Amino acid sequence: MIIGAGIVGANVADELTARGWDRVTVLDQGPLPLTGGSTSHAPGLVFQTSPSKTMTTFASYTASKFLSLDVDGEWCFNQVGGLEVATTEQRLAELHRRQGWATSWGVAASVIDPQECAKLHPLLDADRILGGLYVESDGLAKASRVVVALARRAQSRGAVFQGSTKVTGIEHSGGRVTGVATANGVVPADIVVSCGGFWGPDLGALIGMDVPLLPLAHQYAKTDQIPELVGRNTELSEAGFPILRHQDQDLYFREHVDRLGIGSYAHRPMPVDMSELPDGEISADAMPSMLQFTEEDFAPAWEQSQKLLPCLQTAKVESGFNGIFSFTPDGGPLIGESPDVSGFWIAEAVWVTHSAGVARAVAQLLIDGRSEVELHGCDVHRFEDVQLDPGYVSETSQQNFVEIYDILHPLQPKESPRNLRVSPFHVRQTELGAVFLESGGWERPHWFEANAALVDELPVAWQPPARDEWSAMFHSRIAAAEAWRTRTAVALYDMTPLKRLEISGPGALALLERTTTGKMDKSVGSVTYTLALDEAGGVRSDLTVARLGADSFQVGANGNLDLDYFRRQAPSDGSVTVRDITGGTCCIGVWGPRARDLVSALSRDDFSNEAFKYFRAKQVRIGGVPVTAMRLSYVGELGWELYTSADNGLRLWDALWAEGQRHGIIAAGRAAFNSLRLEKGYRSWGTDMTTEHNPYEAGLGFAVRTQKDGFIGRDALVGVSDDTVERRLACLTIDDGKQVVLGSEPVFLDGSPAGYVTSAAFGHTVGVPIAYAWLPATAVPGTKVEIQYFDRRVPATVVAEPLVDPEMKKIRS
Ligand code: FAD
Ligand code: THG
């Protein structure tokens, strides 16, 4: 059962029936095929390029799929190309960065000069622009026709489409969906996929599922006849020039035969009160998703449009509307299954651009249990609890509307809402001048201004080179001092935001044995670095599992997706409890060569190498505070992660800080942390590897215990080894020793794009910038490559990893 016959519902029906599911019903409250939803009037511009690999892949699939469709010979995709123009130097630089993303994700794109732009789109004033990004394979989706083409195809395979049928309830029993309620009675269904677009929250509410999206109105207007367009297009072709974006003014354009359509994000965010939508009979003129055009909001857009396209100076706006569609807290779509009612899925907050890609992913999830394209930025369970609050969703989604075309630095934090979640050390961090960035609602120190004086003390070998303007943003040279002190003395890192799960009960061991690649039946006090794989052997997370009791484990995880996963995997007999203990606890990483001296001075417990081995956990007391100490370090230094309950946190920090004065202690932040972990070769899940990669490709084969039977993903890895993989996460250093890159840049091998950067940082210990990148396995250490940074190629070399302490001397001593 699919709820919603918009572009998403129609694509899901098509993708499911294409895979042989022939008992698919699609219900829509509106008439078919124009239901009155967002799809009914979508102008259908498909610009593929995005900072996200997944979203770009979705868009490319959508374009190629729609290109193969027609309705009685009439096109579904008009591949006119896409052109994004720059009117400022910053935007031109941004277009180069976007060209890099396109290249990284496999879409051909080029940055062209103003004359070439005007040749492709003669309505442009070439004197106003500095250049453009041209993507030949972009184009226009005829969304309403795509729906017809897909509905016909799905119907030919057995699907049933039914309009004018509103779903008013979701039936379920024993935690499983059983059907949907409509005015005509209950329709049974064992799987329900809600593709309700901006009605998603209302549909989710029927079973108590949070759907964190906000319906916002967005203006779209059409001009009267433009003389320059007369005779260029036919009623059928509609358009011939590339679709156009003018991001500096939050505008986009397309042709409608001899008129221009103008979309604007240049107005105030206009959240929609769902209770005020026109109710009653839906028709082409009375669509709930089309609100009255508010002319005054369009005025600045019109003025700017006339500047970019001088032909508009004698034109006028003939019609317009405020159309509704969905925005989310981070701009990504929402895909996933209800945590409470299995069989109830959602696929919402999806653009036409990504619709086929999202639908294919949903079909694969339902049928194969996994999507070939990784979904961590799309999974509805990626949000933390505080991020599901309607006030949070509203504020952040509106901010996303405002920033939709802005040039955003990868480290740029949101300005608001902030201070949602703070660790017990927050007050001390603030005193030390912490510069906080935000993640998952947590405030995380990036560096501490209190360490500024240390920059002058840096030995010559540790003094970092000057940075270019872009890579210097949201960065400070203080990170070098913090890295230096971590490697030479001792530093405190606030690890509180790291997701922690307690998995306990008589079935806990069996659950972990089945869901991870490592041996879990070890002595109490053992800690294991391990992987959770999907059925195809893709890495769904990397974890540390500490056995704190016979039936009690503490899992260091990567995020809410891990919580959701273990909850789903836990047997229904109640023999396992999966609890998120992150908020009630806190964690300090005490790392550096003086770490042992420091903690020993505050404790009667024995922290010697013999008594407290690497990757062991113990209950100890430090400074009078009961602590679970784990001897491991993501920064690759001697030391411990110290866990205690939140109430004890501040006292623990203060005890370490006071005693630490004799040991050269500092507080250190994420900037140093990221640099140190890359030097040590430690991967970050979601950035360096995802479900698209197997452990051997990711350089994590050591964590797979092939002798162990029956864990998820094992069968898929039979015959796979370090020697069989065709691509690998490789460590690169930048040849000039100076140019830092930031991630997602394309990497060229023998002059051709061959991969992309995942994580990068300046390696303070080794004195060169480091980049990890996916590359063909043939790119062995010594191989020369080039990284594209804006419009430049930066020479780099594949090197053996890790760069620091490959023999584990520091960390194990
Ligand atoms: P919809 O098309 O809204 O479909 C949801 C369906 O669910 C509706 O038909 C609705 O009737 C049905 N439904 C809801 N509740 C119930 C219920 N209780 N029972 C039964 N049925 C129900 N995207 C692009 O990619 N490119 C663009 O250029 C573009 N331009 C846009 C311009 C404007 C002005 C607007 C408003 C949107 C634009 N979009 C664009 C966004 C795009 O239109 C939407 O993201 C997309 O159409 C959403 O598709 P959908 O199938 O999820 O939603
Ligand atoms: N601490 C804890 N849990 C975590 C992280 C953490 N879980 C999520 C994430 N971070 C996992 N990532 C890593 C990566 C590397 C290591 C630990 C967590 C690590 N690796 C050793 C190595 O490769 O040398 C493993 C050695 C071994 O297996 O014996 O330490 O930061 N609690």
Side-chain angles (χ1 to χ4, degrees), residues 495 498 529 542-544 556-558 614-615 632-634 641 643 682-683 702 808 812:
M495 299 292 286
L498 185 93
Y529 174 70
D542 68 334
L543 309 157
T544 57
N558 286 296
Y614 184 56
F615 264 77
L632 66 102
S633 163
Y634 200 63
E641 289 181 346
Y643 296 88
Y682 289 163
R683 278 75 170 134
F702 70 88
M808 307 287 280
R812 282 179 176 277

Side-chain angles (χ1 to χ4, degrees), residues 407-422:
I407 298 168
L408 299 174
H409 191 277
L411 289 171
Q412 189 169 328
K414 55 168 71 64
E415 277 168 23
S416 173
R418 289 294 297 271
N419 292 313
L420 298 183
R421 305 168 87 187
V422 298

Side-chain angles (χ1 to χ4, degrees), residues 369-696:
R370 81 184 285 269
S371 150
E372 73 191 74
V373 175
E374 71 90 10
L375 297 176
H376 84 277
C378 305
D379 194 310
V380 63
H381 303 296
R382 67 187 178 275
F383 299 104
E384 294 285 313
D385 229 348
V386 286
Q387 299 176 306
L388 297 172
D389 172 68
Y392 179 91
V393 173
S394 175
E395 181 174 356
T396 53
S397 302
Q398 291 189 51
Q399 192 57 25
N400 262 310
F401 175 92
V402 171
E403 290 176 352
I404 190 155
Y405 288 160
D406 286 1
I407 298 168
L408 299 174
H409 191 277
L411 289 171
Q412 189 169 328
K414 55 168 71 64
E415 277 168 23
S416 173
R418 289 294 297 271
N419 292 313
L420 298 183
R421 305 168 87 187
V422 298
S423 80
F425 326 123
H426 185 257
V427 50
R428 293 291 177 265
Q429 293 166 342
T430 305
E431 288 163 10
L432 293 171
V435 173
F436 292 99
L437 299 187
E438 181 270 353
S439 174
W442 285 103
E443 296 295 327
R444 301 196 300 185
H446 210 51
W447 66 83
F448 292 85
E449 288 296 332
N451 295 327
L454 291 176
V455 175
D456 299 330
E457 291 178 31
L458 278 172
V460 176
W462 285 84
Q463 289 167 12
R467 292 192 171 205
D468 67 287
E469 204 184 321
W470 182 253
S471 70
M473 287 173 76
F474 305 101
H475 183 77
S476 165
R477 293 169 69 81
I478 294 171
E482 294 179 5
W484 171 57
R485 276 298 180 88
T486 310
R487 292 268 188 252
T488 56
V490 62
L492 300 185
Y493 287 84
D494 183 359
M495 299 292 286
T496 302
L498 185 93
K499 193 79 163 180
R500 284 179 290 291
L501 311 178
E502 178 193 84
I503 300 189
S504 59
L509 175 63
L511 171 67
L512 286 163
E513 286 281 7
R514 186 165 56 77
T515 50
T516 73
T517 57
K519 179 171 158 77
M520 294 294 134
D521 195 5
K522 296 187 193 163
S523 59
V524 170
S526 66
V527 183
T528 310
Y529 174 70
T530 189
L531 307 174
L533 305 180
D534 66 19
E535 294 286 353
V539 181
R540 52 179 318 146
S541 195
D542 68 334
L543 309 157
T544 57
V545 179
R547 189 166 199 180
L548 300 183
D551 290 337
S552 177
F553 298 82
Q554 182 172 317
V555 175
N558 286 296
N560 215 56
L561 296 183
D562 296 316
L563 172 65
D564 178 62
Y565 179 64
F566 284 112
R567 286 218 167 126
R568 275 173 207 286
Q569 288 294 331
S572 53
D573 60 11
S575 63
V576 184
T577 306
V578 179
R579 220 158 58 86
D580 181 353
I581 57 167
T582 315
T585 57
C586 58
C587 177
I588 304 175
V590 186
W591 293 316
R594 306 289 295 272
R596 178 174 287 127
D597 299 338
L598 170 56
V599 291
S600 301
L602 289 166
S603 179
R604 291 167 192 233
D605 295 285
D606 187 349
F607 288 88
S608 68
N609 196 31
E610 299 68 42
F612 203 145
K613 292 206 176 70
Y614 184 56
F615 264 77
R616 296 291 298 179
K618 265 211 268 191
Q619 309 299 334
V620 296
R621 285 178 196 276
I622 295 177
V625 174
V627 165
T628 302
M630 290 185 206
R631 188 166 160 206
L632 66 102
S633 163
Y634 200 63
V635 301
E637 283 298 322
L638 171 67
W640 289 264
E641 289 181 346
L642 306 178
Y643 296 88
T644 189
S645 55
D647 54 340
N648 285 309
L650 194 54
R651 190 157 159 251
L652 177 62
W653 177 283
D654 286 345
L656 290 164
W657 189 257
E659 171 61 24
Q661 299 310 311
R662 299 199 295 119
H663 306 275
I665 198 169
I666 57 156
R670 302 288 302 182
F673 182 83
N674 193 46
S675 161
L676 298 168
R677 69 107 183 156
L678 280 179
E679 291 183 331
K680 189 71 183 87
Y682 289 163
R683 278 75 170 134
S684 175
W685 188 86
T687 305
D688 295 318
M689 73 285 187
T690 66
T691 52
E692 291 181 10
H693 311 106
N694 75 42
Y696 301 97

Side-chain angles (χ1 to χ4, degrees), residues 3-9 27-30 35 37-39 41-45 165-167 195-197 199 203 218 220 252 321 323-325 350-353:
I3 306 172
I7 194 94
V8 177
L27 294 185
D28 202 291
Q29 63 190 10
T35 63
S38 303
T39 306
H41 52 71
L45 292 84
T165 308
K166 182 170 175 162
V167 171
C195 305
W199 285 271
L203 285 158
H218 149 63
Y220 192 77
Y252 64 84
F321 63 98
I324 308 172
F325 73 111
V350 179
W351 288 26
V352 171
T353 302

